[in-house]
Amino acid sequence: MHTNTRRLATILDDLAHELIAFRRDVHAHPELARTEKRTSDRLAERFELAGLHVHRFTPTGLAVDIDPPGTSAGPASRRHRRVALRADLDALPVQEATGLEFASTVRGVSHACGHDVHTSVVLGAGLALARLAEEEGLPSGVRLLFQPAEELQPGGALDLLKAGALEGVDRIFAIHCDPKLDVGHVGTRIGPITSASDTVSVTVTSSGGHTSRPHLTSDVVYALGLVATTTPAVLGRRLDPRAGVNLTWGAIKAGTASNAIPTTGTISGTLRCLDVRAWDQAEHLLREVVEQIVAPTGVEVDVQIVRGVPPVDNDGESVRLMEDAAEAILGEDAVQLTEQSLGGEDFGWYLTHTRGAMARLGTRTPGGRSYDLHQPELIVDERAIGVGARFLAQVALDAGRRLHEDHGATSEVPVR
């Protein structure tokens, strides 16, 4: 085992109780997207206590640079190549039902997606790397990114990208809680691990009429039925099925009386794609398909598509760096092939600008209950915080060594 690896373990053992206490405090005081001021202030205070410069990229999003010897600290040193670790800060509008002593104190808001864990993991990794930088130096710079508004589409990642958060970053890494994977394990996958996600709304209108005389009007309810049943099937034949395209409707609204054909109706849902090329094609194709489907009914149609997030498309070399780090600190059996998800995650935006990967962090107590994300009962095994911090710190070290060995050479990644 490398000397740095052993030292990281020792440092994070010393920080273990502090990181759990930090997570519990954040968990008890959750904040919705773009209101994460208390959380970001607490982070800033802790990093400043450690002697690190904190840069506010947005009102609630911040970055911390940890640099190797001989480089200047802070945003001025963006020209130096570095590895980034990203955490998301925001909570969900979900009422917690865990019964924990440190449960949410904010009515209707909770960390039901585990962002409090992500934040504590990157905090721990950063503090450990900062101490290691003082003692032994680092092979390359590390940037810690704490991002607001992951739960809002198209996501707070765009706020940080617009502010220049990835300037000088060669690779970026992140973890996401997986309550179906045992603590001490990491789930990885090369290629798309999460899906693009857009919100779709189709509104149809006509003059309306009496249900006894449907031939005298255009029937919006019938048109909505065609859209609901036919559109997903047609998309499945017009786009490559290997792209993982999924259109699922969540709401249909039309009419108030059983004997009246309404004048307007709306159907809404989500369009998800695992392949970025299919995602680029889907918007135009969906509009075309809906218009053709309702054309025989005579209704007027308006299709609204709100662009969401791209897939998280993991770079192969970055995934291998994560797997090597996990095996080094957790053992050869710690890495598992994780499944693809049609859930959206705005970490995908970063990967349209640079190389990187996201892994899933096991948070289930071995032999314990499996939970689901975005649910009020979610409970995580807090040992995952130390595991995740050590894992991401090791990934940053290994990726930094790779960057150093390449003498600062980077590969150009096309912006999608």
Side-chain angles (χ1 to χ4, degrees):
M1 183 179 291
H2 197 281
T3 304
N4 288 157
T5 302
R6 289 194 293 268
R7 183 62 185 137
L8 279 177
T10 301
I11 294 170
L12 283 164
D13 283 345
D14 293 340
L15 290 170
H17 292 298
E18 178 187 352
L19 294 178
I20 289 175
F22 184 92
R23 180 258 168 169
R24 291 184 176 188
D25 179 71
V26 171
H27 188 91
H29 301 90
E31 297 168 300
L32 294 174
R34 296 197 173 90
T35 70
E36 310 94 336
K37 187 176 186 306
R38 183 184 184 278
T39 304
S40 59
D41 284 349
R42 286 222 56 208
L43 287 164
E45 290 169 4
R46 182 61 184 91
F47 284 121
E48 288 167 354
L49 184 64
L52 296 169
H53 176 82
V54 176
H55 179 65
R56 297 273 188 175
F57 275 117
T58 69
T60 58
L62 53 86
V64 179
D65 284 343
I66 305 167
D67 291 292
T71 59
S72 58
S77 63
R78 290 177 189 168
R79 63 186 178 275
H80 303 296
R81 306 306 300 179
R82 45 171 64 85
V83 176
L85 304 178
R86 173 269 202 172
D88 35 14
L89 303 174
D90 54 326
L92 285 163
V94 172
Q95 178 66 40
E96 183 167 349
T98 62
L100 294 169
E101 293 181 4
F102 52 91
S104 172
T105 60
V106 182
R107 184 173 180 81
V109 181
S110 69
H111 274 291
C113 196
H115 292 186
D116 54 333
V117 174
H118 305 168
T119 298
S120 303
V121 163
V122 176
L123 169 64
L127 292 175
L129 288 167
R131 194 177 304 178
L132 199 64
E134 293 177 354
E135 297 173 356
E136 307 175 20
L138 297 176
S140 76
V142 176
R143 174 166 295 160
L144 312 176
L145 294 177
F146 295 90
Q147 175 211 302
E150 189 277 329
E151 296 292 353
L152 291 184
Q153 292 194 344
L158 291 178
D159 300 346
L160 265 63
L161 286 168
K162 184 178 180 180
L166 281 193
E167 291 179 18
V169 170
D170 182 75
R171 291 184 193 272
I172 186 168
F173 298 94
I175 52 92
H176 198 294
C177 289
D178 186 345
K180 294 184 171 73
L181 185 65
D182 283 351
V183 67
H185 290 79
V186 172
T188 63
R189 174 180 283 272
I190 294 173
I193 188 174
T194 67
S195 171
S197 177
D198 297 339
T199 301
V200 179
S201 178
V202 177
T203 301
V204 294
T205 57
S206 77
S207 58
H210 200 287
T211 56
S212 66
R213 296 180 288 277
H215 58 295
L216 298 181
T217 187
S218 299
D219 189 343
V220 300
V221 175
Y222 177 66
L224 287 176
L226 291 175
V227 172
T229 57
T230 308
T231 309
V234 174
L235 285 180
R237 294 299 181 273
R238 296 285 299 276
L239 291 170
D240 189 335
R242 294 171 297 180
V245 178
N246 179 273
L247 175 63
T248 298
W249 304 112
I252 301 180
K253 300 176 183 178
T256 57
S258 60
N259 62 348
I261 297 173
T263 60
T264 187
T266 301
I267 184 170
S268 58
T270 57
L271 174 68
R272 301 174 187 272
C273 307
L274 288 168
D275 182 86
V276 72
R277 289 171 295 278
W279 187 50
D280 289 337
Q281 299 168 11
E283 180 175 355
H284 172 75
L285 180 59
L286 178 59
R287 294 181 190 279
E288 175 187 306
V289 167
V290 170
E291 289 170 359
Q292 291 175 353
I293 287 172
V294 302
T297 71
V299 301
E300 295 182 7
V301 62
D302 177 59
V303 181
Q304 296 292 325
I305 301 174
V306 179
R307 199 72 155 163
V309 296
V312 173
D313 195 353
N314 285 341
D315 164 66
E317 186 177 10
S318 298
V319 170
R320 285 187 285 273
L321 284 166
M322 294 188 106
E323 291 175 345
D324 290 345
E327 291 177 359
I329 65 172
L330 300 172
E332 293 183 359
D333 297 330
V335 178
Q336 297 186 14
L337 177 65
T338 192
E339 62 186 9
Q340 291 177 306
S341 168
L342 290 184
E345 162 61 69
D346 76 351
F347 185 73
W349 286 120
Y350 298 111
L351 301 186
T352 66
H353 288 71
T354 193
R355 300 173 292 179
M358 170 177 277
R360 295 202 169 101
L361 177 71
T363 62
R364 179 178 63 189
T365 300
R369 174 183 167 183
S370 292
Y371 293 90
D372 201 1
L373 297 172
H374 288 218
Q375 297 302 308
E377 300 88 4
L378 175 68
I379 294 177
V380 305
D381 188 319
E382 292 183 311
R383 290 175 295 178
I385 297 171
V387 171
R390 191 176 170 197
F391 168 59
L392 280 187
Q394 187 65 49
V395 171
L397 278 180
D398 293 349
R401 290 192 192 102
R402 180 70 55 83
L403 180 59
H404 182 72
E405 291 167 0
D406 293 342
H407 304 291
T410 59
S411 299
E412 291 296 325
V413 177
V415 176
R416 298 168 183 152

